[in-house]
Every structure is written in structure tokens, then in C-alpha cells.
Amino acid sequence: MEGIRTLIGEAEIAARVEALAAEIAQRIPDDFVVVGLLKGAAVFVADLSRALYRAGARPEFEFMRLSSYGLAKVSSGEVHLLGDIPIDLAGRRVLLVDDIVDTGRSIAHAAALLHERGVGEIWTCALLDKPARREVTADVDFVGFTIEDVFVAGYGIDYAEKCRYLPYIGIVD
Ligand code: IMP
Ligand code: MG
């Protein structure tokens, strides 16, 4: 696609998702809930949940929607809850899943919210991690790929709401 350079191809993503799921299934005792952060993590959760099944896990899944970038490439620094989980997760094991951990605000905010609600134990997972951009402490237990400070799109991740449909992850120039 014009203006997009491939960073991580389809086959590479698929292989990493499979390995990540095996790692997760080993570490988290079964009976856990995958909580994906919309909209960016939707494609990743769809693939990850089926890879988890192949790895022997049988997770439920839920979604939460947070606001972040809007139409800009730079985060506003404020995270708002736009859509909540309709069920009580008190005492449950949760795997919180996002597409990218950048400043760390989104995943830290979501984890804090779940803690407040008495979730039993939380693990975090991100397909991509940009540690160079971190502004708040955010522990990510499972990372797909660690990348440089580049703006990416594809595989569910958008640039101004475009490119989510790309089957690969590319750098937006
Ligand atoms: P954080 O709250 O700064 O960690 O940002 C996390 C969110 O920002 C991710 O869930 C993404 O939706 C978005 N984001 C961060 N980096 C990128 C990028 O390179 N491209 C598109 N969205 C991004
Ligand atoms: Mg996001």
C-alpha cells in the first residue's frame, strides 16, 4: 500500500502469535478471561484466542474500549473509558491485551481499573512494544515484537482510522 513499508509480514505475525499463545497457556492457569482493548487489539485477539485454543487454553473473551490517539499520530496523554465490560470480573484471572504499548498509559489505566474492581490476577500482553516511548510504568508480561520508535499501522492498528484491514504491519511514512 502507498506510503506504508512492511515492517512485520503476515507469516512472521502468525508464527509469533502461535508461540506467544503457547507461552501464555503455560503461564496462566486455565479459566481466564481475555480482555481486549478496542479497537486496535480486535484482530490480534481474534488470532490469539484461536492460537490459545490450539495451545490447550479455553479462555472467555471480553472487550473494553478506551480512547487514545484520535486522528493524530501523537497521544493526547489522556485516557477515557468509552465502552465497558458488561460482566463482573471480580476474582477472575484476566489477560489484558492491547495492540501496542507506547507511553504505557492505556494499558496502565485499564489494569488499574480492573484492579479497582477486584479482578483476581492480571497479566498483560501486547503484540508490539515501543519501550523507547514509555512515560508511565507499565509491566507487559507477554510481548509479540519489540519495535523502535516508528508509527505503524495494519493488523488492526490504524492510522487515522485507516489501514486496520492490512494483514501485515507496516511503517507509516
Ligand atoms: P499508550 O497509551 O501511549 O501506550 O498508547 C497505546 C495506544 O496508542 C495503542 O493501543 C494504540 O492504539 C495507539 N498507538 C500507539 N502507537 C501507535 C502506532 O504506532 N500506530 C497506531 N496506533 C498507535
Ligand atoms: Mg489502542
Side-chain angles (χ1 to χ4, degrees):
M1 196 173 151
E2 220 173 296
I4 308 264
R5 283 180 291 134
T6 305
L7 178 65
I8 309 168
E10 271 188 83
E12 204 183 340
I13 295 172
R16 188 68 191 113
V17 168
E18 216 62 32
L20 207 51
E23 224 183 288
I24 292 167
Q26 263 204 343
R27 287 255 308 270
I28 307 184
D30 214 0
D31 190 23
F32 62 95
V33 186
V34 170
V35 173
L37 299 183
L38 292 174
K39 293 186 275 187
V43 172
F44 180 36
V45 167
D47 284 346
L48 185 69
S49 59
R50 287 173 291 175
L52 282 168
Y53 164 74
R54 288 188 288 271
R58 299 290 182 269
E60 293 173 28
F61 54 96
E62 292 290 340
F63 291 94
M64 231 168 145
R65 184 159 176 193
L66 301 178
S67 64
S68 58
Y69 280 51
L71 295 181
K73 269 193 185 178
V74 178
S75 169
S76 66
E78 264 181 64
V79 183
H80 300 282
L81 182 65
L82 299 182
D84 208 345
I85 299 165
I87 64 159
D88 185 9
L89 293 179
R92 302 291 305 275
R93 295 186 190 103
V94 167
L95 176 68
L96 187 57
V97 179
D98 205 359
D99 51 356
I100 309 179
V101 177
D102 190 51
T103 65
R105 286 198 179 86
S106 305
I107 205 142
H109 186 88
L113 211 70
L114 293 172
H115 267 304
E116 266 171 39
R117 294 171 178 181
V119 160
E121 208 175 340
I122 302 180
W123 289 262
T124 51
C125 171
L127 180 64
L128 305 176
D129 186 13
K130 292 192 213 173
R133 300 251 318 154
R134 202 71 94 251
E135 288 174 19
V136 303
T137 308
D139 294 322
V140 191
D141 300 299
F142 306 99
V143 172
F145 301 93
T146 300
I147 63 168
E148 309 280 295
D149 181 9
V150 286
F151 196 86
V152 295
Y155 196 71
I157 302 162
D158 75 307
Y159 170 43
E161 290 308 322
K162 288 176 295 205
C163 304
R164 291 194 198 270
Y165 43 75
L166 292 176
Y168 56 89
I169 294 167
I171 298 178
V172 182
D173 290 310

